């Protein structure tokens, strides 16, 4: 179900930026509503981190405007320190107090006028980021992943209206990420905090983001609701950011098709048949726990990835099918 937002809080109009006359972002325009989570995705070097720094006011921009409610964000030439009470940015370097404890790092940014409320809020944030056992440990003795969790808790303590996150789980152990994702993004929804998160990991995005912004070649390639952009990707580039995807000729899938167009098919959307469909010779099979990811080759030599419940013998020839529903919603590209 799509979440409906009514109050636009962040407005970006025709934003353009470059380093040393080399363009990085060109003519970006978009809006973000109160409590909305917009994920920014794209290949390395596409400008995800740069965009967050521009929104925070840490970089100057040549053209365009950025406004949070009635606050124009103009860059370092107009503001000594970037950001403000309403906007916080968590980069991949955490800027913590290394000789202070976890609790001290978090509580420093909470109001001291009500000690009991301050203590309760500190506990709540430590629980959100699973830091209770490190309460009295100095930050310098924590691992990189543990420090990242402290940084997340601290920035939440500031109660921003909009939070900018740059790869927020990059240092955190894989086994802990899923719970922390649920905790963090659930907390942001509860507090009605807008969030723009740059990530290359679709597990940060698909279960939680309201919309996805795809950056490529300095521009916004796509910006739609998460379910729309996943189910109807307009380019293979976008689909590959969200899963294992293939570009397949329709006439190979359906021999009666009168078009030479290609469609995007995710690996999990193929169905295996022993008799009819797209002929594929299996080259490799990879165990993924709940299923197998296979790589096969068509008669034309084109490679394709597809999933199966059981391993498939190398060299075996099988047939792949795709539902008409999938074909219809992906045409044309």
């Amino acid at each position: 179900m799509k979440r409906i937002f009514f109050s636009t809080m962040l407005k970006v109009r025709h934003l353009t930026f470059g380093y040393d006359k080399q363009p990085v972002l060109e003519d970006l325009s978009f809006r973000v509503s109160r409590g909305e989570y917009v994920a920014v995705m794209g290949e390395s070097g596409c400008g995800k981190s740069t965009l967050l720094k521009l929104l925070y006011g840490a970089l100057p921009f040549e053209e365009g405007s950025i406004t949070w409610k009635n606050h124009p964000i103009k860059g370092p030439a107009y503001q000594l320190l970037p950001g403000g009470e309403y906007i916080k940015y968590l980069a991949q370097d955490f800027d913590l107090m290394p000789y202070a404890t976890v609790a001290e790092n978090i509580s420093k940014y909470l109001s001291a006028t009500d000690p009991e409320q301050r203590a309760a809020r500190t506990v709540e944030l430590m629980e959100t980021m699973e830091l209770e056992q490190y309460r009295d440990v100095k930050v310098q003795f924590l691992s990189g992943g543990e420090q990242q969790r402290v940084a997340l808790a601290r920035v939440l303590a500031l109660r921003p209206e909009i939070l900018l996150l740059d790869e927020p789980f990059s240092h955190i152990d894989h086994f802990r990420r899923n719970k922390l994702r649920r905790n963090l993004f659930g907390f942001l929804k509860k507090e009605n905090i807008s969030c723009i998160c740059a990530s290359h990991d679709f597990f940060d995005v698909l279960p939680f983001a309201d919309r996805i912004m795809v950056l490529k070649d300095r521009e916004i390639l796509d910006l739609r609701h998460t379910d729309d952009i996943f189910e109807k990707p307009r380019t293979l580039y976008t689909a590959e950011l969200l899963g294992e995807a293939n570009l397949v000729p329709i006439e190979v899938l359906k021999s009666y098709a009168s078009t030479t167009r290609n469609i995007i098919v995710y690996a999990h959307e193929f169905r295996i048949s022993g008799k009819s469909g797209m002929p594929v010779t299996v080259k490799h099979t990879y165990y993924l726990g709940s299923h197998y990811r296979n790589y096969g080759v068509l008669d034309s030599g084109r490679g394709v990835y597809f999933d199966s419940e059981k391993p498939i013998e190398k060299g075996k020839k099988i047939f792949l099918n795709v539902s008409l529903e999938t074909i219809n919603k992906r045409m044309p590209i």
Side-chain angles (χ1 to χ4, degrees):
M1 179 183 294
K2 297 175 183 177
R3 183 170 178 176
I4 300 174
F5 298 90
F6 296 101
S7 55
T8 297
M9 307 298 278
L10 178 71
K11 295 180 182 179
V12 177
R13 297 177 179 174
H14 308 296
L15 181 64
T16 296
F17 175 80
Y19 289 109
D20 298 325
K21 298 183 179 180
Q22 293 295 320
V24 177
L25 298 170
E26 293 184 348
D27 199 28
L28 269 60
S29 295
F30 61 93
R31 298 185 177 197
V32 179
S33 298
R34 183 67 182 268
E36 185 181 17
Y37 167 22
V38 176
V40 182
M41 303 190 76
E43 61 192 349
S44 297
C46 71
K48 299 189 297 296
S49 297
T50 298
L51 175 59
L52 295 187
K53 291 175 183 177
L54 287 165
L55 297 178
Y56 190 55
L59 292 175
F61 49 92
E62 293 85 358
E63 300 176 19
S65 64
I66 307 171
T67 305
W68 175 256
K69 294 195 294 189
N70 297 320
H71 303 280
I73 300 173
K74 295 184 176 181
Y78 299 89
Q79 189 170 333
L80 182 61
L81 295 175
E85 291 185 0
Y86 60 94
I87 184 169
K88 297 301 174 188
Y89 170 53
L90 180 63
Q92 296 183 50
D93 54 333
F94 312 132
D95 191 28
L96 298 170
M97 299 182 295
Y99 304 113
T101 67
V102 168
E104 289 168 343
N105 266 274
I106 297 170
S107 63
K108 176 184 177 181
Y109 295 93
L110 297 171
S111 173
T113 57
D114 188 336
E116 290 187 4
Q117 185 179 23
R118 185 187 195 194
R121 179 72 168 176
T122 300
V123 170
E124 179 189 15
L125 293 170
M126 286 193 294
E127 289 176 348
T128 299
M129 289 294 110
E130 298 189 337
L131 291 165
E132 305 97 308
Q133 63 179 310
Y134 305 109
R135 177 189 180 93
D136 299 317
V137 178
K138 292 184 178 180
V139 164
Q140 64 176 325
F141 299 120
L142 299 179
S143 69
E146 290 159 354
Q147 289 185 20
Q148 189 169 33
R149 285 149 58 193
V150 177
L152 282 165
R154 190 183 70 170
V155 78
L156 293 175
L158 298 169
R159 293 183 181 273
E161 294 180 75
I162 181 168
L163 180 60
L164 309 175
L165 299 174
D166 194 353
E167 303 287 356
F169 305 104
S170 59
H171 296 271
I172 295 173
D173 295 332
H174 182 74
F175 75 91
R176 194 182 294 273
R177 288 183 190 178
N178 286 337
K179 185 174 182 181
L180 289 175
R181 287 184 182 108
R182 291 191 290 267
N183 289 353
L184 173 61
F185 294 120
F187 183 91
L188 296 179
K189 287 299 182 188
K190 182 185 72 172
E191 300 282 328
N192 206 28
I193 297 172
S194 302
C195 177
I196 301 177
C197 176
S199 178
H200 68 280
D201 189 342
F202 58 79
F203 289 113
D204 294 346
V205 176
L206 288 178
F208 309 106
D210 298 295
R211 288 189 294 157
I212 300 173
M213 177 191 299
V214 178
L215 294 180
K216 183 175 174 59
D217 297 332
R218 304 182 296 277
E219 299 177 342
I220 297 177
L221 181 66
D222 208 341
L223 176 57
R224 286 181 285 150
H225 286 280
T226 300
D227 54 351
D228 285 343
I229 212 167
F230 178 81
E231 293 173 9
K232 298 179 181 180
R234 292 169 180 161
T235 66
L236 183 63
Y237 174 85
T238 295
E240 288 181 327
L241 294 173
L242 301 173
E244 193 78 71
N246 308 274
L247 198 60
V248 181
I250 297 177
E251 70 269 19
V252 176
L253 285 171
K254 303 295 180 183
S255 58
Y256 55 79
S258 59
T259 177
T260 58
R261 292 183 180 273
N262 300 320
I263 65 165
I264 294 168
V265 182
Y266 292 107
H268 71 273
E269 293 176 317
F270 284 111
R271 296 296 177 262
I272 299 173
S273 170
K275 297 181 179 180
S276 63
M278 183 174 72
V280 174
T281 301
V282 177
K283 296 297 183 181
H284 300 285
T285 295
Y286 307 94
Y287 177 60
L288 297 180
S290 62
H291 63 281
Y292 292 82
R293 175 70 42 82
N294 308 280
Y295 174 73
V297 178
L298 308 181
D299 292 341
S300 65
R302 183 192 292 250
V304 61
Y305 287 94
F306 62 97
D307 292 349
S308 62
E309 294 182 359
K310 298 179 180 180
I312 303 176
E313 181 182 352
K314 181 179 179 180
K316 184 175 181 179
K317 192 164 188 174
I318 62 167
F319 297 92
L320 298 177
N321 291 288
V322 177
S323 71
L324 282 174
E325 179 185 3
T326 297
I327 293 174
N328 289 335
K329 71 183 178 182
R330 300 280 164 75
M331 288 183 61
I333 67 165

